[in-house]
Amino acid sequence: MTNTNMVDATNVSFHYGDRYVLEDVSFTVPKGAFVGLVGPNGSGKSTLIKIILGLLKPQKGQVHLLGNQVNKFQQWSKVGYVSQKANSFNSGFPASVFEVVSMGLTSKLGLFKFMNAKHKKAVYDALALVGMEAYSDRNIGELSGGQQQRVFIARALVSDPDFLILDEPTVGVDAGSTSEFYNLLGRLNKENGITLLLVTHDIGTITDKVTHVACLNRTLHFHGETEEFEQFNESDLSDFYGHHVHVLNHDHGHGGV
Amino acid sequence: MIQALLKFEFLQNAFLAGILIGVIAPLLGVFLVVRRQALIADALSHITLAGIAASLLMGKYVTSWQFVNPVYMGMGFSAVGSLFIEQLRKVYKHFEELAIPITLSGGIGLGVVFISLADGFNSDLFNYLFGSVIAISRSDLLAVTVITIIVLAVVILLYKELFFLSFDEEHAVVSGIRGKWIHIVFILIVAFVIAVSMQIVGVLLVSALMTLPVAASIRIAKGFKQTIFLSILIGEASVIGGLILAYYLDIAPGGTIVLLSAIILVIILILKRWQQGKS
């Protein structure tokens, strides 16, 4: 396997019964890239992420993560993950910001090992990177949605990953914090050299930040560099979204998902 | 009281066992509460009672069995019950809390059958229902000590994994933590702690010792470690204060301990309210 791709997914298909969520998707994340994976709700984005992380097994196709087959992948500390549900934790949970970020070191430390001064410094450094170092003693539940999201990014960054996967990280975050947040991601990619894969249903706000775009709606409709994507004509795009809107209405009419 | 404490072995046993339980019950209680599994303690205490009843019943037929401490059979039942709960939670993925009433009522059913087979209640069994400080023997104290050492070792060694799993299980598993095994180890030590705590506070009150101190500390603590520390502090204050009060007022220690922790909880809630009102 080549070492230049963080993710190499080839001909991946996934279905629940006879309903295909992903069909013959081939998808790569080159090293150093900032890939925006866009698609309407229910397009299979989260399923693809779960397959990349080895949480779901595709019925067809192969996935390599950092050059290793994903089911044999061990170096989880090199991959940071911020899930869509990161914000849906129990907000009464009595954990300080410092403690939440330290969780990110759990697998790097390994069983029966404790944090030392170096690890504590790594936690403060990660908090500084996202501009939250002043909040380290606060309980996580006391922070705003945007601040919590930064803390979860810090948790993903603390193990010094090469690759960061963010699954709709701005759900429930206000617009102002969202654009600040994308600036932060841009800096992490450019200045810290972290490869990013950002999943979002919001195509417009990210095209000036990402280096690559992938449009997914069951199949991959477009996958390439951002400049090419900007030439991807509008009727193609509305086809891509328009088709879906129809499906959604249809589902609603039948009391579906 | 100091003199009595020096003179009577049973008082020493009670205080030492109480102090140890005052550490381990709230310690594990913190993890149960934040995972919204506080009721597991109730389910397991009822299963433990069934085990103790079974042990007392066997003692009726096999004379040599009478020398076996019933707590051990209680622990065995509690351990099996805890694994049963974990299994049920998997079966009813979307109704995880169903595991609690199933196990709780199963435990009571089994206990009642054993009790009736043994021709009804005797004073031994009654002690386990409401706790009896006088009944704590040196062998009970030994059991509590061993369990305390195991619990402290497990929680210290697996602290970061337990914390991560409690906060966000899915993410913890994505990060490569072996959640399944850690769950089993955790639920087993909960089962053991419940079995040994029963003699002090009794079946009906044991879950209170695991949850009330946590309920109080969670309102005022900053961070998880502080929550654990305060829970243990409140647990100790309740156990030691409760035993002293019970001695002087000549009232049931189990109930006194639990009432004292409830009073501490109410005071903390009122102080917190008052403080919030001021700012």
Side-chain angles (χ1 to χ4, degrees):
Chain A
M1 220 59 242
T2 55
N3 287 327
T4 51
N5 288 334
M6 287 296 184
V7 176
D8 255 304
T10 14
N11 307 111
V12 169
S13 292
F14 187 87
H15 54 88
Y16 293 106
D18 51 6
R19 192 173 66 87
Y20 272 83
V21 184
L22 294 171
E23 207 174 340
D24 205 23
V25 171
S26 292
F27 174 73
T28 55
V29 176
K31 201 172 190 170
F34 182 173
V35 178
L37 176 63
V38 293
N41 291 321
S43 56
K45 299 181 307 267
S46 292
T47 306
L48 183 59
I49 295 303
K50 281 188 176 147
I51 288 172
I52 289 172
L53 288 167
L55 292 174
L56 287 175
K57 247 186 144 161
Q59 281 93 353
K60 257 193 249 156
Q62 283 208 336
V63 177
H64 286 80
L65 191 57
L66 277 67
N68 303 292
Q69 255 187 328
V70 70
N71 52 352
K72 290 179 190 143
F73 190 73
Q74 294 287 338
Q75 309 154 274
W76 287 110
S77 62
K78 295 205 169 168
V79 180
Y81 171 52
V82 180
S83 81
Q84 199 175 358
K85 285 191 286 181
N87 271 12
S88 69
F89 69 99
N90 170 5
S91 64
F93 197 104
S96 70
V97 166
F98 181 89
E99 288 173 323
V100 170
V101 176
S102 340
M103 286 179 205
L105 287 168
T106 309
S107 69
K108 192 175 191 175
L109 282 167
L111 274 178
F112 313 140
K113 301 269 171 50
F114 302 97
M115 281 174 76
N116 58 28
K118 208 179 86 198
H119 298 118
K120 284 183 184 150
K121 188 176 174 293
V123 171
Y124 286 117
D125 287 348
L127 279 170
L129 209 53
V130 298
M132 289 295 294
E133 67 271 45
Y135 295 84
S136 65
D137 291 333
R138 297 276 289 276
N139 273 357
I140 182 80
E142 297 169 10
L143 305 183
S144 73
Q147 291 173 323
Q148 286 174 2
Q149 202 51 262
R150 283 165 176 269
V151 173
F152 291 120
I153 300 282
R155 177 174 75 175
L157 289 174
V158 71
S159 64
D160 198 17
D162 300 330
F163 180 35
L164 197 56
I165 300 177
L166 305 113
D167 189 1
E168 304 231 22
T170 53
V171 171
V173 177
D174 64 275
S177 314
T178 301
S179 79
E180 233 180 275
F181 182 74
Y182 287 138
N183 288 335
L184 167 68
L185 294 184
R187 280 205 311 278
L188 289 175
N189 178 243
K190 280 204 196 94
E191 291 166 23
N192 301 71
I194 298 170
T195 308
L196 294 174
L197 170 57
L198 171 70
V199 180
T200 176
H201 60 266
D202 184 8
I203 221 166
T205 48
I206 59 156
T207 43
D208 57 331
K209 293 277 180 302
V210 298
T211 59
H212 293 70
V213 177
C215 297
L216 183 75
N217 196 355
R218 195 166 52 86
T219 58
L220 209 54
H221 288 242
F222 176 85
H223 186 25
E225 293 184 18
T226 312
E227 288 134 40
E228 290 172 53
F229 176 72
E230 276 158 0
Q231 283 144 28
F232 189 55
N233 68 52
E234 259 182 41
S235 72
D236 287 340
L237 200 61
S238 63
D239 249 12
F240 169 59
Y241 269 86
H243 170 68
H244 176 75
V245 172
H246 176 71
V247 172
L248 242 190
N249 287 341
H250 179 79
D251 277 353
H252 274 286
H254 290 80
V257 195
Chain B
M1 172 149 194
I2 306 287
Q3 274 177 335
L5 201 56
L6 292 172
K7 196 166 149 197
F8 298 114
E9 194 188 286
F10 82 88
L11 269 182
Q12 294 163 8
N13 292 345
F15 266 89
L16 291 173
I19 287 167
L20 294 177
I21 289 165
V23 173
I24 54 179
L27 171 64
L28 296 188
V30 172
F31 291 97
L32 287 176
V33 168
V34 297
R35 292 162 84 160
R36 302 172 193 265
Q37 294 180 347
L39 285 169
I40 278 186
D42 275 302
L44 290 179
S45 66
H46 287 80
I47 283 276
T48 309
L49 180 72
I52 284 166
S55 188
L56 293 173
L57 177 65
M58 269 183 79
K60 266 199 131 165
Y61 297 104
V62 187
T63 324
S64 57
W65 192 264
Q66 285 171 2
F67 301 104
V68 178
N69 193 330
V71 165
Y72 294 119
M73 197 127 161
M75 273 187 206
F77 269 60
S78 186
V80 173
S82 68
L83 299 179
F84 183 66
I85 290 179
E86 274 300 291
Q87 205 54 43
L88 277 178
R89 276 157 50 86
K90 263 182 246 152
V91 175
Y92 293 104
K93 240 182 172 160
H94 302 285
F95 305 98
E96 282 185 5
E97 69 279 8
L98 260 184
I100 309 285
I102 292 173
T103 318
L104 194 145
S105 44
I108 296 179
L110 208 58
V112 169
V113 168
F114 287 142
I115 290 164
S116 71
L117 285 175
D119 301 326
F121 268 96
N122 60 20
S123 64
D124 277 356
L125 202 57
F126 201 76
N127 288 342
Y128 287 105
L129 267 187
F130 298 105
S132 167
V133 178
I134 302 166
I136 295 173
S137 61
R138 279 280 140 132
S139 113
D140 292 327
L141 183 60
L142 181 73
V144 178
T145 310
V146 171
I147 295 298
T148 303
I149 292 167
I150 294 173
V151 167
L152 291 179
V154 168
V155 173
I156 290 170
L157 289 175
L158 294 178
Y159 173 78
K160 61 186 190 310
E161 282 81 10
L162 285 169
F163 174 52
F164 201 169
L165 282 167
S166 307
F167 186 79
D168 184 348
E169 183 164 353
E170 191 190 81
H171 200 127
V173 174
V174 174
S175 316
I177 291 170
R178 308 181 67 156
K180 212 174 95 189
W181 291 108
I182 292 172
H183 268 308
I184 289 178
V185 170
F186 176 72
I187 197 82
L188 276 174
I189 57 171
V190 170
F192 293 144
V193 167
I194 286 169
V196 295
S197 307
M198 277 182 49
Q199 287 165 300
I200 294 266
V201 285
V203 176
L204 301 172
L205 299 172
V206 66
S207 73
L209 201 53
M210 298 188 99
T211 50
L212 289 183
V214 184
S217 72
I218 219 166
R219 295 291 300 159
I220 47 175
K222 287 253 171 275
F224 196 68
K225 279 193 176 143
Q226 211 181 89
T227 307
I228 291 179
F229 178 74
L230 280 175
S231 300
I232 292 173
L233 203 70
I234 295 168
E236 281 305 342
S238 312
V239 169
I240 296 171
L243 287 175
I244 293 172
L245 272 178
Y247 176 82
Y248 281 114
L249 301 176
D250 197 20
I251 46 180
T256 315
I257 290 168
V258 171
L259 276 183
L260 199 56
S261 61
I263 291 169
I264 295 174
L265 170 67
V266 170
I267 291 172
I268 284 177
L269 290 180
I270 292 171
L271 284 179
K272 179 87 187 173
R273 189 84 181 250
W274 178 68
Q275 189 199 26
Q276 275 171 345
K278 258 197 345 187
S279 60

